[in-house]
Amino acid sequence: MRKDILRKDRKREHIAYYLKSKHGGNTLFDDVFIEHNSLPELNLLEINTNTEFLGKKIDYPIMINAITGGTEFAWEINKNLSKIASKYNIPMAVGSQTIALVDKESHKSFRIVRENIGNEGVVIANLNAHASIEDVKFAIDLLEADGIQIHLNPAQELVMREGDRNFKGILRNIENIVLNIEKPVIVKEVGFGISKDVALRLFDIGVKYIDISGKGGTNFIEIEDKRNEDMDFKDMYTWGIPTAFSLIQCRSISEELTLISSGGIKGSLEVFKSLVLGADMVGISGYILWNLIKGGYEKVDKYMNNLTYKLKVLMLLTGSKNIQDLKNVPYKVKGELKELLEG
Ligand code: FNR
């Protein structure tokens, strides 16, 4: 079978198996305690959720994270999600554009995102970490993207029957991309978390944007296991760094790092706690996709409307007038998260 056809099938299967997966694990956000303030002295109308990301003004520090592209079905998904991104003026990243390097027909499923979001909005390209400078330039140009995500997914590849087995030279390649590409380069995981050591190695070669994409949401070991009939990886379903732990660890490296919290973000508390723990942006993939498949554009719209309202409520209940104030809200850690941080 042609490689591009295989890749298209894989993308469809990822979505089907994502919906069947239990996508469990624990983000450990429940182990973060934030005190309620009964005397906030604020008016809900003056709560300001605006922020800046990749040089553009956006209305909320929430983004639709990488999911898909390539097929007719992906076009439909990207069309709906980019309409949501446009309505709420939030960033959106597309799924891996590897398919776009070899298949012209796939381009429209990616371009629809820029078409719907327009020039004022933030659109982010996506490729794997083996990508050449030419590939990165192509992926950015196709979307007139404001930046590119480079994904690190060794756990996923190793469980995937047809996946990569060699991960040598990747740090060098990322360094080369950062040095030669003018747009911001975001290095991201896909649901297993970025450790402090990995974040430090990335920061040392000039990476300024990291999406931690930790454990607790979409689980690609489980998804790929369901696709792989040769082997059984059930005993590895709990692998990964919980999102809350990964976020605190990476934040401790430098205030200069722009951090995106993702992996298992569903409700307003996870968004809010991410921002209190020091995230600059919060990414959601699986749960937005789930809403879309279950109830179409309207269900995602309702979800986003609730989520953004509740973020304002939580800001008010901690006396936070704007997104910057959230970074100064005190928090305590308990339970497993505390043990991990003290260990
Ligand atoms: C993903 N994710 C992903 N990431 C990436 O960098 N490139 C990609 O092509 C994809 N494809 C993809 C497909 C599907 C169906 C899902 C659900 C997810 C990973 C995604 O961006 C994110 O890092 C993880 O899913 C963790 O976040 P959630 O899903 O728990 O919010």
Side-chain angles (χ1 to χ4, degrees):
M1 199 189 283
R2 270 171 53 198
K3 248 191 168 171
D4 51 334
I5 295 176
L6 249 180
R7 209 170 268 133
K8 280 183 178 176
D9 276 1
R10 186 198 304 164
K11 290 193 177 208
R12 183 178 270 277
E13 284 174 19
H14 281 162
I15 293 171
Y17 286 118
Y18 161 74
L19 294 169
K20 280 189 207 159
S21 72
K22 302 212 167 34
H23 38 277
N26 193 339
T27 58
L28 296 187
F29 278 116
D30 280 348
D31 285 347
V32 178
F33 174 76
I34 295 164
E35 222 160 60
H36 166 64
N37 175 354
S38 312
L39 264 179
E41 290 290 335
L42 282 171
N43 179 341
L44 188 66
L45 289 176
E46 58 183 347
I47 303 289
N48 182 352
T49 56
N50 293 356
T51 185
E52 222 187 90
F53 193 62
L54 308 187
K56 287 181 177 167
K57 286 200 163 53
I58 53 169
D59 289 357
Y60 304 93
I62 299 173
M63 65 180 271
I64 300 174
N65 217 349
I67 298 173
T68 199
T71 59
E72 250 336 277
F73 185 44
W75 176 83
E76 187 73 28
I77 291 173
N78 283 346
K79 181 191 75 175
N80 281 302
L81 295 184
S82 52
K83 275 205 250 163
I84 294 286
S86 171
K87 177 168 178 186
Y88 290 88
N89 187 24
I90 56 171
M92 174 167 166
V94 298
S96 177
Q97 290 170 268
T98 310
I99 184 78
L101 304 172
V102 290
D103 176 8
K104 239 181 157 182
E105 255 178 58
S106 73
H107 290 187
K108 67 179 195 320
S109 69
F110 293 105
R111 276 218 204 95
I112 184 77
V113 174
R114 176 55 84 192
E115 280 161 27
N116 280 344
I117 289 182
N119 288 334
E120 306 80 44
V122 178
V123 177
I124 303 165
N126 186 297
L127 278 179
N128 65 60
H130 293 294
S132 67
I133 301 295
E134 289 65 40
D135 294 347
V136 171
K137 284 186 176 157
F138 179 84
I140 291 176
D141 287 350
L142 186 64
L143 296 168
E144 295 160 76
D146 301 283
I148 182 156
Q149 292 180 329
I150 299 291
H151 62 259
L152 303 177
N153 64 339
Q156 177 185 10
E157 294 289 339
L158 290 166
V159 178
M160 205 190 295
R161 200 165 26 172
E162 72 276 22
D164 278 352
R165 297 292 182 261
N166 181 5
F167 305 94
K168 282 186 166 182
I170 283 185
L171 190 63
R172 252 299 134 75
N173 196 47
I174 294 174
E175 183 176 21
N176 194 31
I177 293 171
V178 172
L179 282 172
N180 289 288
I181 297 294
E182 277 170 24
K183 300 272 179 181
V185 175
I186 304 169
V187 178
K188 81 182 279 284
E189 242 291 344
V190 299
F192 301 100
I194 299 275
S195 71
K196 187 172 177 174
D197 175 63
V198 166
L200 263 173
R201 281 154 65 202
L202 290 169
F203 189 62
D204 283 348
I205 58 154
V207 172
K208 293 278 188 316
Y209 300 81
I210 293 180
D211 178 336
I212 59 163
S213 219
K215 181 178 92 169
T218 301
N219 183 346
F220 269 106
I221 291 182
E222 184 182 356
I223 293 171
E224 296 299 349
D225 184 37
K226 289 190 155 66
R227 294 180 62 236
N228 186 342
E229 283 154 17
D230 297 344
M231 281 202 200
D232 174 358
F233 290 90
K234 280 193 192 61
D235 57 340
M236 279 177 57
Y237 283 8
T238 54
W239 183 252
I241 308 173
T243 300
F245 181 61
S246 176
L247 178 57
I248 294 173
Q249 292 284 88
C250 293
R251 183 73 286 164
S252 72
I253 289 173
S254 168
E255 284 304 312
E256 273 177 51
L257 258 182
T258 296
L259 281 179
I260 298 129
S261 171
S262 75
I265 308 289
K266 283 185 173 178
S268 52
L269 268 174
E270 288 131 8
V271 172
F272 170 71
K273 286 181 178 178
S274 290
L275 297 166
V276 170
L277 295 183
D280 302 287
M281 170 59 63
V282 184
I284 311 172
S285 293
Y287 200 57
I288 282 193
L289 177 66
W290 182 86
N291 274 287
L292 183 68
I293 305 277
K294 295 292 165 188
Y297 174 90
E298 283 71 29
K299 192 167 169 71
V300 185
D301 188 22
K302 201 169 169 191
Y303 164 67
M304 282 304 300
N305 192 39
N306 279 324
L307 190 68
T308 49
Y309 177 74
K310 287 184 283 186
L311 174 61
K312 286 184 187 166
V313 168
L314 289 164
M315 287 173 72
L316 187 139
L317 295 180
T318 47
S320 315
K321 206 171 169 180
N322 55 47
I323 296 299
Q324 200 50 37
D325 285 352
L326 287 178
K327 290 202 172 173
N328 301 321
V329 171
Y331 68 88
K332 288 190 175 126
V333 293
K334 57 190 175 79
E336 198 180 328
L337 183 57
K338 191 172 182 209
E339 275 172 37
L340 284 173
L341 287 166
E342 285 171 356

